[in-house]
Amino acid sequence: MVVMDVQRRNNITVTGPADAPAVVLAHGFGCDQNMWRLIVPALAARHRVVLFDYVGSGGSDLSAWSEERYSSLDGYAQDVADVCEALDLEDAVFVGHSVSAMVGVLAARIVPESIGALVMVAPSPCYIDDEGYRGGFAAEDIDELLASLESNYLGWSSAMAPVIMGNPDRPELGQELTNSFCATDPDIARVFARTTFLTDSRGDLESVTVPTLVLECAQDVIAPREVGAYVHAAIPSSRLVTLDAIGHCPQLSAPEATARAILDFLDTRP
Amino acid sequence: MCRTGDSPDPAGAGGRARTAAAFSALLEDSAEELYESAPCGYLSTLMDGTIAKINRTLLDWLGLEREDVVGSMRFTDLLTVGGKLYHETHFAPLLRMQGELRGIALEIRKAGGGRLPVLVSSVVKYGTEGQPLLIRTTVFDASDRRAYEEELLRRRQDAERARAEAERARAEAEEAHRQAEADRLRLADALAVLQQSLLPEILPVVPGVETAVHYHTASPDQLGGDFYDVFPVDGTRWAFFLGDVCGKGPQAAALTSLTRYTLRAAAHHNPVPAAALTTLNTVLHDRYTAGGDPRYCTCVFGILEPGADGSAAVHLASGGHPPAIVLRADGRAELLPTPGGLLVGILPDAPFVTATATLAPGDTILLYTDGLTEARTGPTRDHLYGEDALLAFAADQAPAAPGEVIEALTDLLRGFGDGLDDDTALLALGVPATPSPTGPATNHSR
């Protein structure tokens, strides 16, 4: 794939010193790369920070989306691999939030030379309860989430999509762009939600051999602490850090602590 | 409109006093009272979601007491599980990034187990340093509105389903059409091959006689019902026939096939035209009409016997077929009468009579099917070409060798355009005016 195509397709933005070690920040289900904006300045001081949107989210090229590809985490992992290859990354640290933590595990298998370490922010390899495993949810709960998605398009309209996509620098559109960070085509959101919450990736954890930071929140309904402990136990090369944060998005609710934990890991990784 | 000073004023001194009284009554309605009994739910939470303040209205909706809630529950505890997921993945991140969020549809769980659809708006209150301090939230009862939205959603889903079904049906129809078109082409190919098999590949060379044919198929999709053949029956005699079976298509093709091979066999058995047609009549009647499936053909059958003097004797019988025309060497054209002759295959016993004529050098005999005489002509295509016109046309051509006659008639057929809507077979046999040193000519056209 041509580099420029991936740049545009995945809405890649790169900040920080060009020759510094690279950190790739991957958003989860729901919003887009803006999720990271409170911690980017801290990371970009000494790292080359790569931000992108998965195809179907944020400012990505929606025309590149297909239900077939993005109905499995492998499709998202291929996006990550494409981004790594487009930027020619070597030994980068992949920071994945929520479902992206597992996407990073899969991507590290596709482009092992590009991804040298993983930071899993509020990860969960399986959201649905299973025998001997408590993911926190039942399959019916996911239907409820889909119903919530149906009732809240959050500023999405097919007519607005081109505006959001094509004119990020036109402030006069700001009013209309309310909620645009989470504005997703409802059909795409539905597929992403199903893929996120109905995939059981527990079996993939054992393939992780790179140094890994499991970053969990003290209270997180989506990724409870027992799940964090499960992930940490399944990856021998992992370190577990529990942030004194509430909710599923510590990069927003506790940005300083989150940035500090990530930088500690970056500075001390083997 | 201007008000005159004298007219009574409803907002005059007395009215103003009443309004002021109402206002002061409202003012006694304390801010506290307004908050607690407002027609919407109020909620203040710390940044971690812990509920710090909640009004009476919302407590009543929830069926909870203040002490159950304040300081011990989080906003997300009020939500359904799906709502919690939605809150964590969309609501909370957006609120953090934008500082406010309006009109989000959620469901809150009541203490009794019921659910209340609500619309939620939240604003973050910031401290002087810009640090977020707390979240203020209003909650509106959206039961009716949600029911309406669900109705709209259901309609939209119905419409989408219908559209998808229509799209699928259209695709299926397109595929069926493609398939049908492919089938039609394949069938047309098969028909063309079969049609060929029903007609002689080439006419045999008949010593001392020139032959020419033309066959026009009205539709490539259907087998034609016209047939002809020329073949030797012994060292001195040649048989020829031309006819038209009833109907079109595969049934007609089967009838044609049976007719053609029966006539060939009959001619070898007894080369007398009336006998050949009698045999054909018996065969077709037994095969079709006797079994309750009346099928028949019209046919002219002839035996040609070239003589030593350059002329040829023609023995001819007809079964319900238009009479042959002879183009004489002297320029005349005449019908060759074949008396009697019913449709072949209709009656169990049909009388056929053999007539005899002589073809002198330069004479040509023409056999044709009614596609020619029944071609529609005239500006409105409602006039049939007819036997008289054909005879006149033949007279104009005479004298003419078989090839010339067929060529002229082919031009005539082409001139009919879409007035020629039936299959047409033409067969001409003639004795050359002067014997050709290289032998006789055979002329085919289809």
Coordinates of all heavy atoms in Angstrom, one line a residue, chain A residues 54-56 64 134 169 173 181 183 199 202 209 217-218 227 243 253:
Chain A
Y54 N -8.7 4.4 13.4 CA -9.0 3.2 12.7 C -10.0 3.6 11.5 O -10.8 4.5 11.7 CB -9.7 2.2 13.6 CG -8.8 1.5 14.6 CD1 -8.9 1.8 15.9 CD2 -7.8 0.6 14.1 CE1 -8.0 1.2 16.8 CE2 -6.9 0.0 15.0 CZ -7.0 0.3 16.4 OH -6.1 -0.3 17.3
V55 N -9.9 2.8 10.4 CA -10.9 3.1 9.4 C -12.3 2.9 9.9 O -12.6 1.9 10.5 CB -10.6 2.1 8.2 CG1 -11.7 2.2 7.1 CG2 -9.3 2.4 7.5
G56 N -13.1 3.9 9.7 CA -14.5 3.9 10.2 C -14.7 4.9 11.4 O -15.8 5.2 11.7
A64 N -12.9 3.4 2.8 CA -12.1 2.3 2.8 C -12.6 1.2 3.8 O -12.0 0.1 3.9 CB -10.7 2.7 3.3
R134 N -14.6 -13.9 34.7 CA -15.6 -12.8 34.8 C -15.2 -11.6 34.0 O -14.3 -10.8 34.4 CB -15.8 -12.5 36.3 CG -17.2 -12.1 36.6 CD -17.4 -11.7 38.1 NE -17.5 -10.3 38.2 CZ -18.5 -9.5 37.7 NH1 -19.5 -10.1 37.1 NH2 -18.5 -8.2 37.8
D169 N -10.0 22.2 9.6 CA -9.5 23.5 10.0 C -10.5 24.6 9.8 O -10.1 25.8 9.8 CB -8.2 23.8 9.2 CG -7.7 22.7 8.5 OD1 -7.5 21.6 9.2 OD2 -7.4 22.8 7.3
L173 N -17.3 25.8 11.3 CA -18.1 24.6 11.4 C -18.2 24.0 12.8 O -18.8 23.0 13.0 CB -17.6 23.6 10.4 CG -17.6 24.0 8.9 CD1 -16.8 23.0 8.1 CD2 -19.0 24.1 8.4
F181 N -16.0 14.0 17.9 CA -15.0 13.0 18.3 C -15.6 11.6 18.3 O -14.9 10.6 18.2 CB -14.4 13.4 19.6 CG -13.9 14.8 19.7 CD1 -14.4 15.6 20.7 CD2 -13.0 15.3 18.8 CE1 -14.0 16.9 20.8 CE2 -12.5 16.6 18.9 CZ -13.1 17.4 19.9
A183 N -18.5 11.0 16.6 CA -19.5 10.8 15.6 C -19.1 9.7 14.7 O -18.0 9.7 14.0 CB -19.6 12.1 14.8
T199 N -15.8 -10.4 21.0 CA -14.6 -11.2 20.6 C -13.9 -11.7 21.9 O -13.7 -11.0 22.8 CB -13.6 -10.3 19.8 OG1 -14.2 -9.9 18.6 CG2 -12.4 -11.2 19.4
R202 N -8.8 -14.2 24.6 CA -7.9 -14.7 25.7 C -6.8 -15.6 25.2 O -5.7 -15.5 25.8 CB -8.8 -15.5 26.8 CG -9.6 -14.6 27.6 CD -10.5 -15.3 28.5 NE -11.6 -16.0 27.8 CZ -12.5 -16.9 28.3 NH1 -12.3 -17.2 29.6 NH2 -13.5 -17.4 27.6
T209 N 5.4 -11.8 23.7 CA 6.7 -12.0 24.3 C 7.4 -10.7 24.6 O 8.4 -10.7 25.3 CB 7.5 -12.8 23.3 OG1 7.5 -12.2 22.0 CG2 7.0 -14.2 23.2
C217 N -7.4 0.7 35.7 CA -7.9 1.8 36.5 C -8.4 1.1 37.8 O -8.8 0.0 37.8 CB -9.0 2.5 35.9 SG -8.5 3.4 34.4
A218 N -8.4 1.9 38.9 CA -8.8 1.3 40.2 C -10.3 0.9 40.1 O -10.6 -0.1 40.7 CB -8.6 2.4 41.3
V227 N -10.0 -8.5 35.7 CA -9.6 -8.7 34.3 C -8.1 -8.3 34.1 O -7.3 -8.9 33.4 CB -10.5 -8.0 33.3 CG1 -10.0 -8.1 31.9 CG2 -11.9 -8.6 33.4
L243 N -3.8 2.5 38.2 CA -3.9 3.9 38.3 C -5.1 4.3 39.3 O -6.1 3.6 39.3 CB -4.2 4.5 37.0 CG -3.1 4.5 35.9 CD1 -3.7 4.8 34.6 CD2 -2.0 5.4 36.3
S253 N -9.4 11.0 32.4 CA -9.8 11.3 33.8 C -8.6 11.5 34.7 O -8.6 12.2 35.7 CB -10.7 10.2 34.4 OG -10.0 9.0 34.4

